[in-house]
Amino acid sequence: MFYLSTRGDEKVTGAEAIVKGLADNGGLYVPESFPQLSYEDIEAMSTMSYSERVAKILALFLDDYDEKGLQEACEKAYSKFVGDPTPLVRIDDGVYILELFNGPTCSYKDTSVLLMPYLLEEGLKKLGIKDKLFILTATTGDTGKSALESFKNMDGVKVMTLFPDDGVSKMQRLQLCAQEGDNVNVLAVKGSYDDCQAIVKDMFNNAEFKNELKQKGAILTTVNSINVGRILPQIAYYFSSYVDLLSGGQIEKGEVIDYSVPCGNFSNALAGYYAKLMGLPIRFMHCASNMNNALYEFMSTGVYNVGRGFYKTTSPSMDIMFSTNVERLVFEMSGRNGELTLSRMENLQVTGKYALASDEKAELTKSFVGGWANEDEVVEVVYDIFCEVGYTMDTHTGCAMKIAQDWYEKNKKDETKIVVVATTNPYKFPQDVLYCVTGNDVKDSFKGVKRLHAATAMTAPKALTALRDKPIRFNKTVAINKVAEEIFAFVE
Ligand SMILES: *Cc1c(COP(=O)(O)O)cnc(C)c1O
């Protein structure tokens, strides 16, 4: 299986796509084709463990990797989860929550980032590259922590994370800034997540930086969802949750279902679409935004337009304007036209928007529905579900639940079942979630944890409660134009 750049020209192996992270022409790597799974193939997954299911999907896309090695890497990664890595919770008739946040850093990023050390190390071996790795990631709070934790103290690797100074929860900030390990660095940036992500992409095009790394015997890569190695494992939980519903008798053979996903950089929802392209019976991917709803407008009108106000919300991991992975989607909608995708991405940089043609829009509408929730609606839905069924969800998942509810309110006769994807542990946002379920406002994160526990009896993950006693190791905040300097300094 080869990988193509969404902006044309390039064609590389799986190992190359993963090690490079971003294509030379600035495009994103996508699989050359989507392997097809028959109903029997899907059903056969029912007797497999979650790690076996992921390994099976990965082996289809990464035929240059050793299948046994993939299997071992998956075993190792998912053994770090508490209990079932991807449990389903029934909320109502035909409404389920898929929890993806029971990994070591308590967000759904663990489902894919934890595999990146193996995918990168093996990739380097296959390519005969002896260089060290410099991993640069932008984060809205969750990817960064997962990356730092996955690569800490690894030989021949340095990992640096940029986060928006004002754009993560207090708990997320603590998680990042108390990070242990002698090969890690964390930097707060006076800007938005979009600024952080743009810096990462710029460093890939920075000849001076690449030269500097070369002299030190290192190469640059990223474990943001820019890297196709992040998308592939995410496809697996769509298959896995479908199989679990099937085994549990909640759906019938071949039954078509929907998913609702809290969207930021659009990697999660894209992976669901990829699963659909591989034959999983999915009707709609419902894509949830918060008040930063460029994606909603895109799904509704076919126009992607970032010329709008930016809001700081209680679901900061969704406070994104330039959703990177929409490029991969647009590439599919255009009939895999690299030239057209390139010109659209250039347009986006210059004019702040681009528009799909009507046939592309029609294609989009076949698989995607957009929706968004304002701040009051998030509070209401989290509160309602807590009162009605005693389930506590975080504010991001709240957006996805809200748009699912809106859909069934508008389409009363629709009996299609839906899985709402839960992306983070509520205790990562203890004050916000506490406010949703009790109306209680507290400033201190750990007070929030205590009260949230008192109100919900939900177990707080040790990885978060232990932060209370950890020293802060990183407390630097720099202006956007000073970030490159800091990155250069960390190469030393
Ligand atoms: C990363 C993240 C998202 C957005 O996921 P994408 O794949 O980037 O769309 C949503 N919610 C939470 C909690 C996240 O950490």
Side-chain angles (χ1 to χ4, degrees), residues 118-226:
Y118 175 78
L119 295 179
L120 282 168
E121 275 198 326
E122 264 309 291
L124 286 173
K125 267 192 233 158
K126 280 179 205 318
L127 301 173
I129 298 175
K130 298 268 188 320
D131 296 287
K132 291 178 276 191
L133 281 179
F134 190 94
I135 300 169
L136 186 62
T137 49
T139 186
T140 50
D142 289 339
T143 303
K145 180 63 189 180
S146 199
L148 295 162
E149 204 50 39
S150 300
F151 290 94
K152 73 173 175 200
N153 296 328
M154 231 171 106
D155 285 343
V157 176
K158 277 192 172 187
V159 49
M160 183 162 186
T161 283
L162 313 175
F163 74 91
D165 186 33
D166 224 9
V168 300
S169 78
K170 281 188 188 171
M171 188 64 96
Q172 285 178 309
R173 190 181 189 109
L174 257 178
Q175 254 191 318
L176 290 166
C177 296
Q179 177 65 43
E180 292 159 357
D182 54 20
N183 62 339
V184 300
N185 198 349
V186 176
L187 195 63
V189 177
K190 283 194 193 112
S192 66
Y193 173 76
D194 289 305
D195 295 322
C196 296
Q197 183 165 236
I199 293 168
V200 170
K201 284 193 173 175
D202 283 349
M203 293 313 276
F204 274 86
N205 292 321
N206 185 325
E208 195 194 340
F209 183 58
K210 283 200 165 160
N211 210 22
E212 175 84 12
L213 283 176
K214 201 168 172 187
Q215 281 177 12
K216 298 278 179 318
I219 53 172
L220 176 64
T221 192
T222 182
V223 296
N224 276 117
S225 56
I226 290 171

Side-chain angles (χ1 to χ4, degrees), residues 308-342:
R308 56 180 63 232
F310 179 76
Y311 302 94
K312 269 180 43 191
T313 72
T314 52
S315 42
S317 295
M318 300 161 74
D319 291 348
I320 296 180
M321 209 81 96
F322 288 86
S323 297
T324 295
N325 286 293
V326 174
E327 177 167 345
R328 288 189 165 109
L329 176 63
V330 166
F331 179 70
E332 296 302 329
M333 295 303 118
S334 72
R336 311 202 117 199
N337 185 334
E339 221 170 295
L340 181 56
T341 307
L342 169 64

